[in-house]
Amino acid sequence: DQQVKQNSPSLSVQEGRISILNCDYTNSMFDYFLWYKKYPAEGPTFLISISSIKDKNEDGRFTVFLNKSAKHLSLHIVPSQPGDSAVYFCAASAAGGGADGLTFGKGTHLIIQP
Amino acid sequence: GAVVSQHPSWVICKSGTSVKIECRSLDFQATTMFWYRQFPKQSLMLMATSNEGSKATYEQGVEKDKFLINHASLTLSTLTVTSAHPEDSSFYICSARGPGLARDEQFFGPGTRLTVL
Protein backbone atom coordinates (compact mmCIF):
# COMPACT_ATOMS: atom_id res chain seq x y z
CA ASP A 1 0.00 0.00 0.00
CA GLN A 2 1.56 3.25 -1.17
CA GLN A 3 1.30 5.68 1.73
CA VAL A 4 2.82 8.56 -0.21
CA LYS A 5 1.62 9.02 -3.75
CA GLN A 6 2.93 11.13 -6.58
CA ASN A 7 0.49 10.48 -9.36
CA SER A 8 2.34 12.33 -12.10
CA PRO A 9 5.37 10.37 -13.28
CA SER A 10 6.53 13.33 -15.32
CA LEU A 11 5.84 17.03 -15.80
CA SER A 12 7.05 19.36 -18.52
CA VAL A 13 7.19 23.11 -17.85
CA GLN A 14 8.51 26.00 -19.87
CA GLU A 15 11.48 27.89 -18.45
CA GLY A 16 10.37 30.90 -16.43
CA ARG A 17 6.94 29.48 -15.64
CA ILE A 18 5.73 27.94 -12.41
CA SER A 19 6.23 24.23 -11.77
CA ILE A 20 3.72 22.58 -9.45
CA LEU A 21 4.42 19.10 -8.18
CA ASN A 22 1.77 17.30 -6.21
CA CYS A 23 1.84 14.68 -3.50
CA ASP A 24 -0.89 12.88 -1.57
CA TYR A 25 -0.58 10.78 1.53
CA THR A 26 -2.82 8.35 3.36
CA ASN A 27 -1.19 7.91 6.77
CA SER A 28 -2.67 10.42 9.20
CA MET A 29 0.26 9.84 11.54
CA PHE A 30 2.63 11.63 9.19
CA ASP A 31 3.52 14.98 10.68
CA TYR A 32 6.58 16.04 8.72
CA PHE A 33 6.93 16.29 4.98
CA LEU A 34 9.97 16.80 2.80
CA TRP A 35 10.82 17.30 -0.83
CA TYR A 36 13.98 15.91 -2.32
CA LYS A 37 15.56 16.45 -5.71
CA LYS A 38 17.46 13.65 -7.39
CA TYR A 39 19.72 13.56 -10.41
CA PRO A 40 20.56 10.25 -12.13
CA ALA A 41 23.18 8.15 -10.32
CA GLU A 42 23.13 10.49 -7.33
CA GLY A 43 21.43 10.34 -3.96
CA PRO A 44 18.49 12.61 -3.18
CA THR A 45 19.29 16.10 -1.94
CA PHE A 46 17.04 17.91 0.47
CA LEU A 47 15.03 20.85 -0.89
CA ILE A 48 12.44 21.99 1.59
CA SER A 49 10.30 20.64 4.38
CA ILE A 50 7.13 21.47 6.26
CA SER A 51 5.76 20.51 9.62
CA SER A 52 2.11 19.58 9.97
CA ILE A 53 1.56 22.60 12.21
CA LYS A 54 2.12 24.85 9.22
CA ASP A 55 0.39 25.15 5.88
CA LYS A 56 3.12 26.92 3.97
CA ASN A 57 6.89 27.13 3.95
CA GLU A 58 8.90 29.21 1.55
CA ASP A 59 12.58 29.16 0.66
CA GLY A 60 13.63 31.27 -2.28
CA ARG A 61 12.05 29.94 -5.45
CA PHE A 62 10.60 26.95 -3.61
CA THR A 63 7.34 26.95 -1.67
CA VAL A 64 5.62 23.95 -0.16
CA PHE A 65 1.93 24.01 0.67
CA LEU A 66 0.25 21.55 2.99
CA ASN A 67 -3.47 20.83 3.12
CA LYS A 68 -3.93 18.46 6.04
CA SER A 69 -7.65 17.98 5.59
CA ALA A 70 -7.06 16.81 2.03
CA LYS A 71 -3.82 14.99 2.94
CA HIS A 72 -2.20 16.81 0.08
CA LEU A 73 0.95 18.80 -0.39
CA SER A 74 2.47 20.56 -3.32
CA LEU A 75 5.81 22.02 -4.26
CA HIS A 76 5.87 25.22 -6.28
CA ILE A 77 8.97 26.30 -8.12
CA VAL A 78 8.91 29.77 -9.59
CA PRO A 79 10.44 30.77 -11.87
CA SER A 80 11.46 27.39 -13.22
CA GLN A 81 15.03 27.11 -14.46
CA PRO A 82 16.76 24.51 -16.66
CA GLY A 83 18.78 23.29 -13.66
CA ASP A 84 15.53 22.33 -11.97
CA SER A 85 15.15 19.41 -14.37
CA ALA A 86 15.39 16.35 -12.12
CA VAL A 87 13.25 13.79 -10.33
CA TYR A 88 11.45 15.19 -7.31
CA PHE A 89 10.48 12.95 -4.44
CA CYS A 90 7.92 13.72 -1.80
CA ALA A 91 8.66 12.07 1.55
CA ALA A 92 6.96 11.90 4.92
CA SER A 93 7.74 10.81 8.44
CA ALA A 94 5.81 10.22 11.65
CA ALA A 95 7.03 11.42 15.01
CA GLY A 96 7.55 9.11 17.94
CA GLY A 97 8.16 6.00 15.91
CA GLY A 98 11.92 6.06 16.12
CA ALA A 99 14.57 7.81 14.13
CA ASP A 100 12.47 9.23 11.33
CA GLY A 101 12.98 6.85 8.48
CA LEU A 102 11.22 8.37 5.51
CA THR A 103 8.39 7.07 3.37
CA PHE A 104 8.86 8.18 -0.21
CA GLY A 105 6.61 8.64 -3.18
CA LYS A 106 7.61 7.28 -6.58
CA GLY A 107 8.84 10.61 -7.78
CA THR A 108 7.93 13.05 -10.54
CA HIS A 109 10.36 13.72 -13.35
CA LEU A 110 10.32 17.47 -13.95
CA ILE A 111 11.52 18.63 -17.35
CA ILE A 112 12.13 22.32 -17.86
CA GLN A 113 11.96 23.27 -21.50
CA PRO A 114 13.90 26.29 -22.80
CA GLY B 1 25.17 20.15 3.60
CA ALA B 2 27.01 17.21 5.05
CA VAL B 3 28.59 14.58 2.82
CA VAL B 4 27.73 10.90 2.79
CA SER B 5 29.64 8.51 0.58
CA GLN B 6 28.92 4.99 -0.55
CA HIS B 7 31.24 2.33 -1.84
CA PRO B 8 31.12 0.77 -4.30
CA SER B 9 29.00 2.89 -6.62
CA TRP B 10 28.14 -0.20 -8.63
CA VAL B 11 28.77 -3.91 -8.30
CA ILE B 12 28.03 -6.99 -10.36
CA CYS B 13 28.12 -10.36 -8.65
CA LYS B 14 27.18 -13.95 -9.26
CA SER B 15 24.11 -15.46 -7.72
CA GLY B 16 24.85 -17.00 -4.33
CA THR B 17 27.68 -14.68 -3.40
CA SER B 18 27.64 -11.97 -0.75
CA VAL B 19 28.15 -8.28 -1.36
CA LYS B 20 29.09 -5.60 1.16
CA ILE B 21 28.14 -1.97 0.67
CA GLU B 22 29.71 0.75 2.80
CA CYS B 23 28.12 4.02 3.84
CA ARG B 24 30.28 6.71 5.39
CA SER B 25 29.53 10.11 6.83
CA LEU B 26 32.55 12.19 5.90
CA ASP B 27 32.23 15.33 7.96
CA PHE B 28 29.84 14.56 10.77
CA GLN B 29 29.08 11.83 13.25
CA ALA B 30 26.08 9.81 12.18
CA THR B 31 24.30 8.36 15.17
CA THR B 32 21.60 7.03 12.90
CA MET B 33 21.86 5.61 9.42
CA PHE B 34 19.10 4.42 7.15
CA TRP B 35 19.21 1.96 4.29
CA TYR B 36 16.82 2.29 1.37
CA ARG B 37 16.26 0.28 -1.76
CA GLN B 38 14.86 1.54 -5.03
CA PHE B 39 13.60 -0.67 -7.84
CA PRO B 40 13.16 0.85 -11.31
CA LYS B 41 10.32 3.35 -11.47
CA GLN B 42 9.52 2.74 -7.83
CA SER B 43 9.95 4.83 -4.72
CA LEU B 44 12.80 4.53 -2.29
CA MET B 45 11.75 1.92 0.24
CA LEU B 46 13.14 2.04 3.76
CA MET B 47 14.78 -1.28 4.59
CA ALA B 48 16.23 -0.68 8.03
CA THR B 49 17.34 1.87 10.57
CA SER B 50 20.60 1.45 12.40
CA ASN B 51 21.83 3.28 15.44
CA GLU B 52 25.52 3.26 16.26
CA GLY B 53 26.41 0.43 18.56
CA SER B 54 23.06 -1.31 18.52
CA LYS B 55 21.18 -3.76 16.35
CA ALA B 56 19.39 -2.50 13.29
CA THR B 57 15.62 -2.22 13.17
CA TYR B 58 14.23 -3.78 10.02
CA GLU B 59 11.06 -2.80 8.21
CA GLN B 60 8.36 -5.36 7.74
CA GLY B 61 9.14 -7.77 4.94
CA VAL B 62 12.90 -7.20 4.99
CA GLU B 63 14.86 -10.30 5.95
CA LYS B 64 17.39 -9.42 8.60
CA ASP B 65 19.40 -12.58 7.98
CA LYS B 66 19.74 -11.71 4.32
CA PHE B 67 20.50 -8.02 4.69
CA LEU B 68 23.07 -7.75 7.45
CA ILE B 69 23.62 -4.25 8.77
CA ASN B 70 26.51 -3.21 10.94
CA HIS B 71 26.89 0.29 12.39
CA ALA B 72 30.01 -0.15 14.46
CA SER B 73 31.23 3.43 14.37
CA LEU B 74 29.76 6.92 14.16
CA THR B 75 30.95 7.31 10.59
CA LEU B 76 30.44 3.90 9.02
CA SER B 77 27.55 1.56 8.39
CA THR B 78 27.70 -1.50 6.17
CA LEU B 79 24.99 -3.46 4.41
CA THR B 80 25.85 -6.99 3.41
CA VAL B 81 23.55 -8.74 0.97
CA THR B 82 24.11 -12.41 1.71
CA SER B 83 23.58 -15.16 -0.85
CA ALA B 84 22.46 -12.60 -3.38
CA HIS B 85 19.95 -13.56 -6.07
CA PRO B 86 18.85 -11.74 -9.22
CA GLU B 87 15.76 -10.39 -7.46
CA ASP B 88 18.09 -8.51 -5.09
CA SER B 89 19.32 -6.44 -8.01
CA SER B 90 18.43 -2.89 -7.10
CA PHE B 91 19.72 0.54 -6.24
CA TYR B 92 20.69 0.73 -2.57
CA ILE B 93 20.95 4.15 -0.92
CA CYS B 94 21.98 5.03 2.59
CA SER B 95 21.30 8.17 4.53
CA ALA B 96 22.67 9.50 7.77
CA ARG B 97 21.64 11.81 10.61
CA GLY B 98 23.72 13.28 13.38
CA PRO B 99 22.76 13.93 17.00
CA GLY B 100 20.59 16.93 17.65
CA LEU B 101 19.91 17.57 13.99
CA ALA B 102 16.52 18.61 12.71
CA ARG B 103 14.26 16.06 11.10
CA ASP B 104 15.04 17.38 7.68
CA GLU B 105 18.77 17.01 8.14
CA GLN B 106 19.06 13.52 6.74
CA PHE B 107 21.82 13.32 4.17
CA PHE B 108 21.86 10.76 1.42
CA GLY B 109 24.69 8.91 -0.20
CA PRO B 110 24.96 8.62 -3.98
CA GLY B 111 23.69 5.05 -4.01
CA THR B 112 25.05 1.66 -5.05
CA ARG B 113 23.76 -0.16 -8.11
CA LEU B 114 23.77 -3.92 -7.44
CA THR B 115 23.33 -6.34 -10.30
CA VAL B 116 23.16 -10.03 -9.49
CA LEU B 117 23.70 -12.36 -12.43
Side-chain angles (χ1 to χ4, degrees), chain A residues 2 31-32 34 36 38 41-44 46 49 89 93-95 99-102 104-106, chain B residues 32 34 36 38 41-44 46 49 51 91 93 97 102-104 106-111:
Chain A
Q2 193 80 15
D31 68 335
Y32 202 78
L34 309 90
Y36 285 85
K38 185 180 183 299
E42 294 183 10
F46 170 74
S49 63
F89 287 96
S93 72
D100 302 324
L102 299 172
F104 283 85
K106 290 185 179 181
Chain B
T32 304
F34 305 90
Y36 295 84
Q38 184 185 24
K41 299 185 180 180
Q42 299 295 316
S43 57
L44 283 78
L46 179 65
T49 301
N51 293 297
F91 192 57
I93 303 179
R97 287 187 63 208
R103 291 174 71 179
D104 53 14
Q106 184 175 140
F107 302 101
F108 285 82

Side-chain angles (χ1 to χ4, degrees), chain B residues 3-5 23-30 33 74-76 96:
Chain B
V3 179
V4 176
S5 70
C23 176
R24 293 182 184 273
S25 58
L26 299 184
D27 50 5
F28 69 102
Q29 293 184 326
M33 286 187 168
L74 286 171
T75 59
L76 173 65

Side-chain angles (χ1 to χ4, degrees), chain B residues 46-98:
Chain B
L46 179 65
M47 298 175 66
T49 301
S50 74
N51 293 297
E52 186 266 336
S54 62
K55 289 184 178 180
T57 302
Y58 290 82
E59 295 299 301
Q60 192 172 12
V62 178
E63 299 174 57
K64 62 179 181 180
D65 294 330
K66 180 169 184 61
F67 299 99
L68 302 179
I69 292 173
N70 183 285
H71 190 171
S73 78
L74 286 171
T75 59
L76 173 65
S77 176
T78 60
L79 168 68
T80 301
V81 183
T82 62
S83 187
H85 291 284
E87 58 265 29
D88 299 323
S89 298
S90 187
F91 192 57
Y92 292 86
I93 303 179
C94 71
S95 69
R97 287 187 63 208

Side-chain angles (χ1 to χ4, degrees), chain A residues 57-71:
Chain A
N57 188 26
E58 189 173 353
D59 183 3
R61 297 187 298 117
F62 302 92
T63 303
V64 56
F65 296 91
L66 174 63
N67 183 333
K68 282 184 295 182
S69 61
K71 292 190 174 68

Side-chain angles (χ1 to χ4, degrees), chain A residues 2 4-11 21-23 35-36 38 86-91 104-110, chain B residues 38 41-44:
Chain A
Q2 193 80 15
V4 177
K5 300 177 184 178
Q6 293 177 257
N7 293 318
S8 298
S10 65
L11 174 68
L21 297 99
N22 294 304
C23 178
W35 284 94
Y36 285 85
K38 185 180 183 299
V87 177
Y88 289 78
F89 287 96
C90 172
F104 283 85
K106 290 185 179 181
T108 297
H109 186 191
L110 176 64
Chain B
Q38 184 185 24
K41 299 185 180 180
Q42 299 295 316
S43 57
L44 283 78

Side-chain angles (χ1 to χ4, degrees), chain A residues 23-75:
Chain A
C23 178
D24 298 290
Y25 62 96
T26 58
N27 188 342
S28 58
M29 298 301 292
F30 288 145
D31 68 335
Y32 202 78
F33 304 90
L34 309 90
W35 284 94
Y36 285 85
K37 178 179 180 181
K38 185 180 183 299
Y39 293 114
E42 294 183 10
T45 53
F46 170 74
L47 269 180
I48 191 168
S49 63
I50 188 166
S51 164
S52 61
I53 63 173
K54 295 185 176 181
D55 55 17
K56 177 183 175 182
N57 188 26
E58 189 173 353
D59 183 3
R61 297 187 298 117
F62 302 92
T63 303
V64 56
F65 296 91
L66 174 63
N67 183 333
K68 282 184 295 182
S69 61
K71 292 190 174 68
H72 176 84
L73 62 154
S74 61
L75 173 67

